[in-house]
């Protein structure tokens, strides 16, 4: 059984605050849930000649962290209200506890005095269990109820800004349209031909996918070969450059004069690396010999300066000529 849903559109100080949607427990309290006051379908009251609906009524009481109350569409101060049955009606079911926030309950003046006034809980109210009928709950827009409860009130808990139900009504449940049944006869053959076409198209697509995969593999293999060729050509160019760089002047003169190279065969990369390493060692050894010769020359100059050695930035230090002579002799023996 689908429970009905109704709504209240609230305004605060003539400014729209939003919509609150309720789900009504018509499977438990059908008489209390009768939603004529939300839809206004019963027209005007036979007793007071007032329209029987909540549109235009106010929230006349608000207690922070407890509840907000409304539904007095006759006087608007909590002393009026009228049920669709004319007279107050009896409590239908008092077994459901007020054990949470957002519950929609009937307000009354005592047992079996239900009219049109309602209240919405802001927290659980165990002290009201067995005294008020719970006939719905808020399923959407409870933040608007909290906003209303935060409005400042006077000493009688009446909001200082007017909170009005600008519109109310019942929400309709949309039904999903049924799917059309497939037609018989000729259309069946058409659908079978379409299925055959789809199968053929899927097989063609699979074939094209396999062909494209083969093309990708061939392209990948070809690109690998091209890369290897490029690497080998680069190695050859590098070898040629090194061989040109390592040629002696005599080889260059022989090449310019039309003579043949002295080497009987072309130098390999390993031979070239070994020769370059050998030349580098020879260059380091020559530089070392040159440095030793310069050190000897400096030592000889210091020995001929009369025992005085200049060191650093302007500082002088005495050296014994006999010690200098002994050091020079040791250096000659060492080298």
């Amino acid at each position: 059984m689908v429970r009905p849903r109704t709504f209240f559109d609230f305004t605060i100080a003539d400014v729209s605050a939003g919509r609150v949607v309720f789900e009504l427990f018509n499977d438990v309290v059908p008489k209390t849930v009768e939603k004529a006051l939300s839809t206004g379908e019963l027209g005007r009251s036979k007793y007071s000649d007032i329209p029987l609906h909540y549109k235009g009524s106010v929230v006349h009481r608000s207690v922070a962290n407890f509840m907000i109350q409304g539904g007095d569409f006759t006087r608007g101060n909590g002393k009026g209200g009228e049920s669709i049955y004319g007279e107050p009606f009896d409590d239908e079911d008092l077994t459901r506890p007020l054990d949470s926030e957002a519950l929609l309950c009937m307000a009354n003046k005592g047992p079996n005095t239900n009219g049109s006034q309602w209240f919405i809980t802001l927290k659980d109210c165990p002290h009201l269990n067995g005294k008020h009928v719970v006939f719905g709950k808020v399923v959407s827009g409870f933040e608007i109820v909290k906003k209303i409860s935060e409005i400042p009130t006077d000493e009688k808990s009446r909001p200082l800004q007017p909170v009005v139900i600008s519109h109310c009504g019942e929400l309709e449940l949309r039904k999903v349209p049924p799917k059309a049944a497939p037609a018989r006869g000729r259309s069946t053959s058409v659908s079978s031909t379409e299925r055959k076409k789809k199968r053929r198209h899927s097989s063609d697509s699979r074939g094209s996918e396999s062909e494209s995969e083969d093309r990708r593999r061939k392209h990948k293999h070809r690109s690998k070969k091209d890369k290897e060729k490029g690497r080998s050509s680069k190695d050859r160019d590098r070898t040629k450059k090194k061989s040109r760089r390592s040629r002696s002047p005599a080889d260059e003169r022989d090449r310019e004069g039309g003579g043949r190279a002295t080497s009987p065969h072309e130098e390999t990369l390993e031979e070239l690396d070994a020769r370059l390493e050998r030349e580098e060692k020879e260059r380091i050894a020559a530089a070392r010999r040159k440095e030793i010769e310069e050190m000897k020359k400096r030592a000889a100059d210091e020995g001929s300066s009369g025992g005085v050695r200049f060191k650093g930035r302007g500082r002088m230090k005495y050296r014994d000529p006999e010690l200098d002579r002994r050091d020079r002799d040791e250096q000659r023996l060492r080298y």
Side-chain angles (χ1 to χ4, degrees), residues 44-262:
R44 305 180 79 87
S45 171
K46 297 178 182 179
Y47 303 96
S48 60
D49 199 32
I50 296 174
L52 292 171
H53 55 69
Y54 289 125
K55 185 176 180 179
S57 63
V58 299
V59 174
H60 62 269
R61 188 181 178 204
S62 176
V63 181
N65 201 28
F66 177 34
M67 60 86 179
I68 65 170
Q69 183 174 342
D72 183 0
F73 60 87
T74 59
R75 295 187 183 182
N77 57 6
K79 297 180 180 180
E82 184 179 336
S83 74
I84 60 173
Y85 307 110
E87 298 294 332
F89 60 95
D90 295 342
D91 298 325
E92 198 167 1
D93 183 16
L94 297 173
T95 59
R96 186 182 181 97
L98 284 72
D99 55 357
S100 67
E101 61 182 16
L103 293 178
L104 180 62
C105 311
M106 290 299 298
N108 56 45
K109 298 176 183 178
N112 302 320
T113 57
N114 297 289
S116 61
Q117 293 189 38
W118 48 263
F119 66 91
I120 303 172
T121 60
L122 297 173
K123 67 169 190 175
D124 58 323
C125 306
H127 61 285
L128 298 180
N129 291 343
K131 298 178 181 179
H132 296 270
V133 177
V134 181
F135 67 100
K137 65 179 179 180
V138 177
V139 293
S140 176
F142 187 64
E143 67 277 2
I144 299 168
V145 177
K146 289 183 177 179
K147 185 177 179 181
I148 293 171
S149 69
E150 294 170 357
I151 297 173
T153 59
D154 59 11
E155 64 277 2
K156 294 184 179 181
S157 300
R158 292 177 296 196
L160 296 179
Q161 295 178 350
V163 182
V164 182
I165 298 176
S166 61
H167 192 49
C168 58
E170 182 184 4
L171 298 175
E172 293 183 357
L173 181 65
R174 290 184 180 179
K175 294 182 179 180
V176 180
K179 294 182 180 180
R184 298 178 180 177
R186 189 177 177 181
S187 61
T188 309
S189 61
V190 173
S191 62
S192 63
T193 54
E194 288 179 355
R195 281 196 293 273
K196 289 179 182 177
K197 287 181 180 178
K198 286 182 180 178
R199 290 197 202 100
R200 196 179 304 120
H201 178 69
S202 62
S203 61
D204 294 341
S205 63
R206 282 195 293 271
S208 61
E209 288 177 0
S210 61
E211 290 175 1
S212 61
E213 185 67 25
D214 292 338
R215 281 197 296 270
R216 277 198 294 272
R217 288 175 183 169
K218 289 179 181 177
H219 179 70
K220 190 174 180 181
H221 187 62
R222 203 178 301 122
S223 63
K224 282 185 178 179
K225 285 186 177 179
D226 294 340
K227 286 181 181 178
E228 290 174 358
K229 287 181 181 178
R231 287 199 199 96
S232 60
S233 62
K234 285 181 181 178
D235 292 338
R236 283 197 297 272
D237 294 340
R238 197 181 297 114
T239 305
K240 287 179 182 179
K241 287 180 182 178
K242 286 186 178 180
S243 61
R244 285 196 213 102
R245 208 181 299 124
S246 61
R247 285 193 191 110
S248 63
D251 292 339
E252 293 293 335
R253 284 195 297 272
D254 291 341
R255 287 178 63 85
E256 290 175 0
R260 290 187 300 177
T262 56

